[in-house]
Amino acid sequence: MPTQNLPVEPCILVIFGASGDLTARKLVPAMYEMAKAGLLPSNTRILGVSRRPKSDDEWRAELEPWARKHNADLDESVWRDVASRIHYHAADATTADGMEAVARRIEDLDSQANTRGNVLFFLSVASSLYEPIVERIDAAGLVVEGKRWCSLDPTNASWQRIIVEKPFGEDDQTARALNRTLGRAFEEEAIYRIDHYLAKEIVQSLLVFRFANVLWEPVWNQQFIDHVQISAVETVGVGQRTAFYDQTGAIRDMIQSHLFQVLAFVAMEPPTDYTPHHVRNEKVKVTDAICPTPLDRVAEFCALGQYGPDGTGDPGYAASEGVAAGSTTETFAALQLHFENWRWAGTPFYLRSGKRLAEKRTEVVVQFKPPAANLFRKLPILADAKSLEPNRLVFSIAPDENLSLRFEAKRPGFGIRIDPLEMVAALDRNGDEPVVEAYGPLIIDAMRGDQTLFKSRIEVESAWDAVMPFLNDASAAARSGIRDNYAPGSWGPESARALLARHGRRWYEEDRGT
Ligand SMILES: NC(=O)c1ccc[n+]([C@@H]2O[C@H](COP(=O)([O-])OP(=O)(O)OC[C@H]3O[C@@H](n4cnc5c(N)ncnc54)[C@H](OP(=O)(O)O)[C@@H]3O)[C@@H](O)[C@H]2O)c1
């Protein structure tokens, strides 16, 4: 059954990490927006759990300014209604006593609100606490028989699901360990590995663009596409987050998580239909088909960098407070990935992310091959002209949401002169639709039992497998000399340009001439 049609079932949303930044800044404002949109069932309850003691009212008062900050025209009656359904429980969720007290509170709220035993857990704590908390949830008996496909009456069974925030592991091993811990407590159908990046309109519109049109699918393969660039680059530096970032770097922070999701939607086969099972199966096949990068040649397949000083006070990444001496953590990474499958064999995908670069941009660039033959090559008027420009499709995700297609056209006038034209379609065209926080629709999906936009266990693990050569000792050669190897405001280290240039390719901005 298409899960879009499934009802949003009331539940108790239990947020571990209630005192934290994510809860106040994103999660609770997102639930207000869902209530305002009429999507949150009236008997849904939110139970925040963290260690600091406070009452329900104190927590509501703490959250209100964040809801107002997020929604300049806060609807007072909707907020009052949502606030009345917000509760707080002070507990250390990693202890048996703490979790048993949480279980009693859930039971009370469930009987008051008639949420029929449905519980949606949200792990919004430091990732080191994910496993201890999941083990406590399990030990406290909070996960009863889930809503299995084989239930006698699936509409009448309670469910318990869990949303897990990024980072999902620090490497292949820790991700597998976390998956095993989750799997001991929850069925895979009850585990929602969130990536709020996926709720971005344009990422979903990639699917519609590819599969609701007849034009693209016949040319969406290695026969017609030369290469694909997926970039998420920004102008800001690491700021105050040096201690966190120095343990993380661009590959873990952006590429393994967010950019792999975009990659999956660009490269996947057409799913049978838009249901979680079919979409997720196709996404898994994409990451599964990535060729392992040869460990003795990693430097040929990537460019890594750290931004240097800017001459106006920023000492550069390596000299920033909180960065370990001699750190080789990358603030810029460009990876070249290849697929071993029929659709993409021989067509590289370049994934790039970096800080303190020339522009803030997130985009997918699909570079087609040139036409098989140039019919105009012998015209005298073209004798000194360069060869035909291949078609290029650009999905711009940020700052503008649009789609642009470059194609060759005849310049009006005598004879044949050919110039590239750029056709641009704005995708953020519905100004009446309110812009909502990405978390809201995803939490509603979890309440509906729709896993389409959440990552599966195998997808996460194979994404880690694909990036490990760029993170472990095999990447030492690519990391040597990384310090200050690109200037703030540039497009990254020289090795990034060379990564494409050695195959006769250029990054989109070089092509645009910016
Ligand atoms: N912030 C973001 O925008 C963002 C974006 C993407 C992903 N994430 C991820 O989301 C998670 C939460 O991020 P955050 O920025 O909100 O972290 P945070 O500000 O550090 O908040 C985590 C909260 O967890 C509570 N906590 C700590 N130990 C606990 C325990 N044993 N039992 C119950 N509660 C405990 C703490 O409150 P008490 O001191 O009161 O216990 C703390 O305020 C992290 O894994 C982060 O990587 C965050």
Side-chain angles (χ1 to χ4, degrees):
M1 172 181 352
T3 43
Q4 296 266 324
N5 296 337
L6 289 174
V8 184
E9 297 186 5
C11 68
I12 308 205
L13 170 62
V14 181
I15 304 177
F16 293 105
S19 305
D21 171 73
L22 184 67
T23 307
R25 215 162 43 83
K26 303 273 186 185
L27 303 184
V28 172
M31 296 328 288
Y32 158 83
E33 283 171 349
M34 294 299 99
K36 176 106 170 68
L39 289 169
L40 198 66
S42 58
N43 49 341
T44 303
R45 295 289 181 271
I46 299 171
L47 175 63
V49 179
S50 49
R51 294 162 305 174
R52 267 166 263 185
K54 51 194 147 188
S55 67
D56 289 357
D57 280 339
E58 280 167 337
W59 194 41
R60 289 167 187 153
E62 236 176 63
L63 294 171
E64 188 174 326
W66 290 100
R68 285 189 192 285
K69 191 169 175 197
H70 198 77
N71 295 277
D73 55 347
L74 192 82
D75 183 321
E76 300 295 334
S77 68
V78 174
W79 171 250
R80 270 199 304 279
D81 173 49
V82 173
S84 72
R85 300 193 257 147
I86 291 179
H87 305 268
Y88 183 82
H89 187 88
D92 180 342
T94 62
T95 64
D97 289 352
M99 193 59 83
E100 276 157 24
V102 171
R104 287 193 293 277
R105 191 77 194 269
I106 292 174
E107 211 177 306
D108 283 353
L109 288 173
D110 180 58
S111 59
Q112 285 163 29
N114 189 22
T115 42
R116 300 197 312 240
N118 296 338
V119 186
L120 178 58
F121 299 102
F122 196 121
L123 292 182
S124 181
V125 287
S127 56
S128 56
L129 300 181
Y130 291 175
E131 289 186 67
I133 292 180
V134 170
E135 282 162 2
R136 289 297 173 204
I137 290 174
D138 192 25
L142 278 166
V143 186
V144 293
E145 174 72 352
K147 182 181 275 194
R148 306 279 303 273
W149 63 271
C150 54
S151 298
L152 281 180
D153 177 2
T155 54
N156 225 358
S158 73
W159 50 257
Q160 295 82 41
R161 299 175 186 143
I162 187 160
I163 300 182
V164 188
E165 246 305 339
K166 141 191 181 204
F168 201 90
E170 286 150 23
D171 55 25
D172 52 344
Q173 296 307 317
T174 48
R176 284 185 164 84
L178 175 55
N179 274 331
R180 283 197 298 275
T181 301
L182 282 162
R184 283 193 286 272
F186 293 89
E187 297 288 343
E188 179 64 17
E189 301 86 77
I191 303 170
Y192 290 71
R193 298 173 189 84
I194 201 165
D195 188 335
H196 63 277
Y197 218 69
L198 281 181
K200 298 255 188 205
E201 232 358 71
I202 188 88
V203 178
Q204 292 173 24
S205 51
L206 263 171
L207 275 189
V208 173
F209 175 80
R210 284 192 58 197
F211 301 125
N213 294 298
V214 74
L215 282 180
W216 309 114
E217 208 37 35
V219 294
W220 208 257
N221 55 52
Q222 47 79 22
Q223 194 186 343
F224 295 98
I225 294 179
D226 178 73
H227 73 276
V228 177
Q229 299 173 17
I230 301 176
S231 298
V233 296
E234 54 189 343
T235 52
V236 295
V238 173
Q240 304 300 312
R241 299 163 69 228
T242 42
F244 156 80
Y245 198 86
D246 208 35
Q247 300 294 316
T248 309
I251 297 175
R252 288 188 174 90
D253 194 35
M254 290 298 297
I255 296 184
Q256 186 278 339
S257 47
H258 304 317
L259 296 195
F260 263 65
Q261 293 300 293
V262 182
L263 169 73
F265 283 117
V266 175
M268 76 198 295
E269 295 297 317
T272 307
D273 60 14
Y274 190 69
T275 54
H277 171 72
H278 291 297
V279 173
R280 279 157 58 108
N281 271 357
E282 295 308 334
K283 282 172 69 198
V284 166
K285 287 188 208 163
V286 173
T287 32
D288 228 20
I290 295 173
C291 301
T293 300
L295 293 182
D296 54 344
R297 293 172 49 210
V298 169
E300 280 174 49
F301 291 86
C302 70
L304 304 177
Q306 283 178 354
Y307 59 84
D310 67 0
T312 64
D314 182 338
Y317 178 74
S320 298
E321 204 183 321
V323 174
S327 163
T328 59
T329 300
E330 72 288 351
T331 60
F332 175 97
L335 312 185
Q336 177 184 332
L337 299 176
H338 289 267
F339 288 97
E340 187 76 65
N341 64 15
W342 278 58
R343 185 185 284 267
W344 295 118
T347 294
F349 279 63
Y350 297 96
L351 273 59
R352 169 177 68 161
S353 184
K355 292 194 174 291
R356 295 234 62 186
L357 296 183
E359 283 178 39
K360 177 176 171 55
R361 278 218 321 262
T362 307
E363 72 208 357
V364 178
V365 178
V366 178
Q367 179 69 60
F368 288 87
K369 292 182 175 174
N374 184 354
L375 131 86
F376 307 103
R377 68 191 179 284
K378 291 184 182 157
L379 293 185
I381 208 155
L382 279 182
D384 60 347
K386 52 185 164 44
S387 54
L388 297 178
E389 295 280 353
N391 296 123
R392 182 184 59 206
L393 192 63
V394 181
F395 291 88
S396 176
I397 300 172
D400 306 311
E401 292 187 5
N402 63 41
L403 187 70
S404 75
L405 176 66
R406 179 179 69 183
F407 57 94
E408 297 286 38
K410 179 186 171 303
R411 195 191 297 173
F414 175 73
I416 291 189
R417 280 184 176 271
I418 298 173
D419 286 331
L421 278 185
E422 201 89 30
M423 195 162 69
V424 181
L427 292 168
D428 52 353
R429 59 197 182 284
N430 192 351
D432 298 339
E433 283 280 316
V435 177
V436 295
E437 175 52 58
Y439 280 96
L442 288 170
I443 293 173
I444 293 292
D445 278 354
M447 291 168 70
R448 190 190 270 134
D450 184 341
Q451 287 185 305
T452 310
L453 296 178
F454 295 84
K455 298 186 228 182
S456 67
R457 174 175 70 81
I458 299 179
E459 189 184 350
V460 166
E461 292 178 5
S462 49
W464 275 118
D465 289 343
V467 299
M468 283 318 294
F470 302 104
L471 291 170
N472 60 26
D473 293 346
S475 70
R479 288 176 193 276
S480 72
I482 192 174
R483 183 178 173 137
D484 299 348
N485 72 353
Y486 70 94
S490 70
W491 281 103
E494 165 56 24
S495 53
R497 199 195 55 76
L499 182 69
L500 269 71
R502 59 176 162 264
H503 303 287
R505 301 184 174 112
R506 299 193 299 173
W507 290 103
Y508 176 42
E509 64 277 357
E510 293 176 67
D511 228 13
R512 284 188 314 169
T514 55

